[in-house]
Amino acid sequence: MSILTLRARQYVDLSEVVRALALPGLGLLLVAAILTGLISGAADMATWDVVSVLWDVVSGRGDVDAISRAIIMEIRMPRVLLGGMVGATLAVSGAVLQALFRNPLAEPSIIGVSAGAGAAAVTTIVLGTAFGAMGAIILYALPVAAFAGGFVATLIVVAIARVNGQTPMTTILLSGIAVAALGGAIMGLMMFISNDEQLRSITFWMLGSLGGATWTTILPAITIMSVILFAMPMLMHKLNLMLLGEREAASLGLNVDRFKYLCVALVAAGVGAAVAVSGTIGFVGIVVPHLLRMVVGPDHRILLPASALGGAALLLWADVVARTLAPPAELPIGVLTALLGAPFFLWLLRRASREGTSW
Amino acid sequence: MVSLAVRGVDVVLGSRQVLTGASMEVSPGELVAVLGPNGAGKSTLLNVLSGEQKVLTGDVRIGDEKLHHLSSASLACKRALMPQKASLSFPFKVKDVVAMGRDPFRASVEVSSNRLAVDWALQETDIGHLARRVYTQLSGGEQQRVQLARVLAQVWREADEDARFLLLDEPTSSLDLAHQHSVLHLASRLAERGVGVVAVVHDLNLAALYATQVVVLSKGNVVATGAPEAVLQPSLIADVFDLSVHRVEDPDSGRKLIVPTGNHRRSASVIDIRRAL
């Protein structure tokens, strides 16, 4: 071994190299996922067709045929955009809550948002059709109800958790569990009184899907989800301080209670919007930040953008698999993420505990 | 001179009165040791000084300003607090943990100065060689020195004229003998550079050796304040700690050392009670 390599080993910190390469690497993975998402589908499209349509849209020339253009821009693009935004939002929300709870096993549903959204959505499906509302009304009422339900449930969780003017994370956790149980009970009740057709739409919604995304249905949700993504630069330093401990964060000038409310509100809005348009998609919010923390470390200056890129890429790849596994049928994407996510997560935990690090 | 002062403070936690009419003051240049038995209210007093603990009566001021009128951000530029127990359980690099001490100055101070502060704090706490190690894999004593470096970085200034305060809650609890002394020595050097330091310590000799002032707490009351030589009399120690001690002279330096006699008063009084029954 030469002196040069010895020196290199001494001075090049491998973890620094990984950190530096993580964001560009995840970015590439996301770009590849977007292109694959646009290419794959029922109608045959070559990579070149997709690229030429995209170039045509960007340059504004309009000399590709209208059908390819419509397939790419009106059918596949909203779906890909929605998938990317939902994946990014779920992963970033998971990372934020894991920092607030200082627990790597926290996930977005912990603050009651998923249960609230689920209960509201299922209630809308069952009672809406029972009162004879038309399909189109359900289509628009469902995301609104789900979003509102998620937000209200989170408000209840935070209000209950407030003791003596402070909101300890443990009481948020406990009241989150209680509100989730209540939401589950409402869902169970609605499923019990539903008819076969309603049960089918409930099941479809609960398993999660990116199908049916059009520009009009996704734009409001995407706008809401982008708030938490744009807030990332403002949150990342403060989340690091929260990991240090609440007292330490307070003595370093962070208004801890106000910051908690801000984070919970951002997550409730983002996840509420995600659940409203795509149903419940599990495991992205817990697996992505957890996995990336193992690679890039706990520093949110890298972890948050990495989670956004990684979450988006993961959900888009999962959607590609869901669409192409048994065409023309689509596997529910929520089923797929859990099916892949759960064993992978268990494997990570095993490996980490063997190496003596808990996360 | 701008000092950090607590006057006539009462604190009630739950149904327990933790501090009763407590008063103390620290000025830049001083190293005040807070002494007292377990549960005397030492940590609470430190939390009052940091502005973290709200008080029922009395007030806490930096100079003329009441502490609770200051925003937490501006307070963070005036004082640093090292809690007794650190709760960091995420695998940050040591240098990143120390750099968080500069977070209050992220916007107002240049990056190069903040980096200088971190390097200085790493050197002073003797953990330069651990800078790239992962915090969670260090020993308890090493972790404690990292936390100390973090608060040191927070009180670092390019020029020493600013009044600022360093509050240390049992900074030596996990340290070996040599590092206990180097931490207190470091604290007294910081005091010389214009920092007002308050440290909760258990070792009376450590306090006697380095502190310019001592504050003795007993059951929520400040029972004595003053220079260590004057305050740490065997009679006071017997009253407050329920322990009989001798003061002996160190043959080299002539300083007074406090040596427990081994004749434990508490067990003696139990025997007295049995006899009385």
Side-chain angles (χ1 to χ4, degrees):
Chain A
M1 199 182 295
S2 72
I3 288 178
L4 215 69
T5 53
L6 264 177
R7 283 246 169 91
R9 286 215 174 159
Q10 207 171 347
Y11 290 111
V12 176
D13 189 337
L14 196 65
S15 67
E16 301 281 341
V17 177
V18 171
R19 273 161 65 132
L21 292 178
L23 291 186
L26 288 166
L28 280 178
L29 209 61
L30 177 58
V31 169
I34 291 171
L35 284 177
T36 315
L38 292 175
I39 291 162
S40 54
D44 267 340
M45 285 270 176
T47 314
W48 174 246
D49 295 332
V50 172
V51 172
S52 61
V53 168
L54 289 180
W55 172 244
D56 192 66
V57 171
V58 172
S59 64
R61 272 199 302 211
D63 41 326
V64 268
D65 70 293
I67 295 172
S68 317
R69 195 188 161 103
I71 289 174
I72 300 286
M73 292 313 293
E74 298 303 322
I75 297 175
R76 292 184 188 171
M77 192 57 105
R79 182 175 188 140
V80 165
L81 195 60
L82 178 67
M85 289 298 282
V86 167
T89 303
L90 291 177
V92 169
S93 299
V96 167
L97 288 183
Q98 286 167 12
L100 284 195
F101 283 99
R102 273 184 286 120
N103 186 332
L105 297 177
E107 56 152 349
S109 63
I110 216 163
I111 54 170
V113 58
S114 311
V122 170
T123 307
T124 311
I125 293 172
V126 175
L127 296 188
T129 49
F131 287 120
M134 303 302 288
I137 296 176
I138 299 285
L139 191 68
Y140 289 104
L142 186 66
V144 175
F147 178 73
F151 210 82
V152 168
T154 307
L155 279 183
I156 294 173
V157 166
V158 174
I160 293 174
R162 199 172 161 79
V163 221
N164 296 333
Q166 287 190 322
T167 319
M169 295 315 287
T170 44
T171 58
I172 294 187
L173 179 74
L174 293 174
S175 60
I177 290 172
V179 168
L182 190 65
I186 293 172
M187 276 193 266
L189 185 67
M190 287 300 152
M191 284 158 79
F192 182 67
I193 63 169
S194 64
N195 61 32
D196 282 357
E197 193 191 335
Q198 291 164 343
L199 199 57
R200 249 194 96 70
S201 14
I202 291 172
T203 313
F204 181 75
W205 189 84
M206 277 174 53
L207 295 179
S209 170
L210 296 174
T214 63
W215 287 113
T216 39
T217 53
I218 67 165
L219 272 181
I222 282 184
T223 313
I224 296 170
M225 285 189 274
S226 61
V227 174
I228 191 170
L229 299 181
F230 280 118
M232 286 195 302
M234 202 183 74
L235 301 178
M236 52 196 191
H237 291 99
K238 295 176 177 171
L239 289 171
N240 281 350
L241 298 187
M242 286 299 287
L243 287 190
L244 215 48
E246 289 193 18
R247 298 186 59 196
E248 286 87 342
S251 77
L252 284 164
L254 180 64
N255 191 330
V256 172
D257 246 35
R258 197 195 295 164
F259 182 66
K260 278 191 237 173
Y261 286 133
L262 174 71
C263 288
V264 168
L266 285 172
V267 169
V271 174
V275 174
V277 285
S278 61
T280 45
I281 297 175
F283 264 99
V284 178
I286 185 166
V287 167
V288 171
H290 194 103
L291 170 66
L292 289 172
R293 197 178 289 112
M294 289 177 174
V295 180
V296 302
D299 189 339
H300 288 89
R301 287 172 295 179
I302 296 175
L303 185 61
L304 281 193
S307 294
L309 294 173
L314 176 73
L315 205 60
L316 287 177
W317 282 114
D319 189 44
V320 168
V321 173
R323 279 189 289 163
T324 51
L325 217 53
E330 279 182 20
L331 215 61
I333 191 167
V335 172
L336 194 76
T337 53
L339 214 57
L340 297 175
F344 183 62
F345 191 63
L346 289 174
W347 174 76
L348 279 180
L349 287 180
R350 276 298 295 167
R351 203 193 65 149
S353 59
R354 264 207 308 274
E355 285 173 5
T357 50
S358 47
W359 44 76
Chain B
M1 199 185 295
V2 179
S3 65
L4 174 59
V6 171
R7 286 200 188 83
V9 159
D10 285 356
V11 173
V12 175
L13 296 179
S15 58
R16 209 167 72 88
Q17 177 123 18
V18 186
L19 286 178
T20 312
S23 297
M24 71 162 284
E25 185 169 354
V26 54
S27 300
E30 286 184 332
L31 167 52
V32 179
V34 177
L35 306 170
N38 296 133
K42 302 185 296 294
S43 294
T44 308
L45 182 60
L46 217 62
N47 295 345
V48 168
L49 281 167
S50 80
E52 183 189 345
Q53 176 64 53
K54 302 271 185 298
V55 298
L56 274 181
T57 52
D59 67 2
V60 195
R61 291 168 193 261
I62 284 186
D64 297 329
E65 277 182 294
K66 286 198 175 184
L67 226 57
H68 68 264
H69 289 166
L70 292 166
S71 71
S72 44
S74 69
L75 206 51
C77 300
K78 293 183 197 298
R79 63 96 183 89
L81 168 72
M82 178 179 165
Q84 202 177 109
K85 279 205 187 77
S87 50
L88 178 59
S89 59
F90 282 76
F92 277 101
K93 293 261 178 69
V94 165
K95 62 184 168 65
D96 292 335
V97 177
V98 178
M100 283 187 222
R102 294 305 292 173
D103 197 78
F105 308 94
R106 193 156 33 83
S108 58
V109 176
E110 280 173 47
V111 176
S112 59
S113 299
N114 284 334
R115 201 167 292 157
L116 208 64
V118 172
D119 288 342
W120 170 79
L122 287 169
Q123 290 308 314
E124 290 291 337
T125 48
D126 191 23
I127 52 169
H129 60 291
L130 302 175
R132 287 171 181 281
R133 292 272 302 279
V134 173
Y135 176 84
T136 41
Q137 292 170 358
L138 301 179
S139 76
E142 288 169 333
Q143 290 187 350
Q144 200 168 24
R145 275 147 64 202
V146 175
Q147 295 289 346
L148 181 67
R150 176 176 65 77
V151 292
L152 281 190
Q154 195 179 347
V155 297
W156 180 90
R157 294 293 183 282
E158 243 160 329
D160 282 334
E161 63 264 22
D162 279 4
R164 68 263 191 217
F165 301 90
L166 181 60
L167 311 170
L168 307 169
D169 197 351
E170 297 194 21
T172 55
S173 61
S174 309
L175 300 184
D176 61 55
L177 198 57
H179 278 113
Q180 289 184 17
H181 281 264
S182 68
V183 164
L184 265 290
H185 183 233
L186 172 59
S188 65
R189 272 186 295 139
L190 280 173
E192 280 162 22
R193 291 180 58 175
V195 181
V197 186
V198 181
V200 173
V201 285
H202 277 300
D203 186 336
L204 302 180
N205 285 314
L206 216 51
L209 191 51
Y210 296 101
T212 59
Q213 294 271 310
V214 295
V215 170
V216 182
L217 275 171
S218 176
K219 302 188 182 88
N221 296 288
V222 173
V223 292
T225 310
E229 285 276 299
V231 170
L232 295 177
Q233 299 293 338
S235 59
L236 177 98
I237 293 166
D239 283 347
V240 172
F241 290 93
D242 218 358
L243 179 75
S244 82
V245 297
H246 287 314
R247 289 230 287 189
V248 296
E249 201 166 288
D250 175 45
D252 291 337
S253 66
R255 281 186 309 103
K256 294 279 196 300
L257 295 177
I258 295 150
V259 182
T261 57
N263 172 12
H264 202 277
R265 289 214 338 171
R266 186 174 284 140
S267 47
S269 61
V270 170
I271 294 164
D272 288 345
I273 292 166
R274 282 205 190 124
R275 239 177 242 155
L277 289 171

